[in-house]
Amino acid sequence: MKLELPLMDEEGHNQGTLWLIKDLGKNPISHYTLRRIEHLRRTMVQTLVKLQSEPVSAHQEQPALDQKGRYVMRNS
């Protein structure tokens, strides 16, 4: 089963898409699954809105990644 849920904020702005894939052959859906998915979607929208509204301070550095996606230390 594949679900694609839009992550829309209260003003109708699209914050992204939540993709969920579940192998129903290994584990069937329980009656709480849709409730937990909706809770996850709401939590993600709230978190994305908070992250976008927080200003990035000048003293906060963005983490650096190498070519393999690992975090590396920056020389100050």
Side-chain angles (χ1 to χ4, degrees):
M1 175 180 78
K2 177 181 169 187
L3 286 175
E4 293 181 37
L5 300 172
L7 300 174
M8 307 289 277
D9 64 12
E10 292 176 354
E11 297 173 358
H13 299 116
N14 189 354
Q15 302 293 321
T17 303
L18 174 63
W19 286 25
L20 298 171
I21 299 172
K22 180 165 178 55
D23 184 358
L24 296 176
K26 289 187 177 183
N27 216 354
I29 293 177
S30 72
H31 60 282
Y32 291 111
T33 302
L34 291 178
R35 182 181 301 177
R36 293 189 338 239
I37 291 171
E38 177 59 15
H39 181 77
L40 173 64
R41 187 195 66 78
R42 288 182 186 174
T43 303
M44 289 185 69
V45 169
Q46 291 171 356
T47 303
L48 288 170
V49 169
K50 283 181 188 178
L51 288 173
Q52 289 177 352
S53 66
E54 291 179 3
V56 177
S57 301
H59 68 276
Q60 290 179 328
E61 289 189 23
Q62 298 296 325
L65 299 175
D66 65 8
Q67 291 180 345
K68 293 185 179 180
R70 298 175 295 202
Y71 289 102
V72 295
M73 299 294 292
R74 291 185 179 173
N75 295 332
S76 298

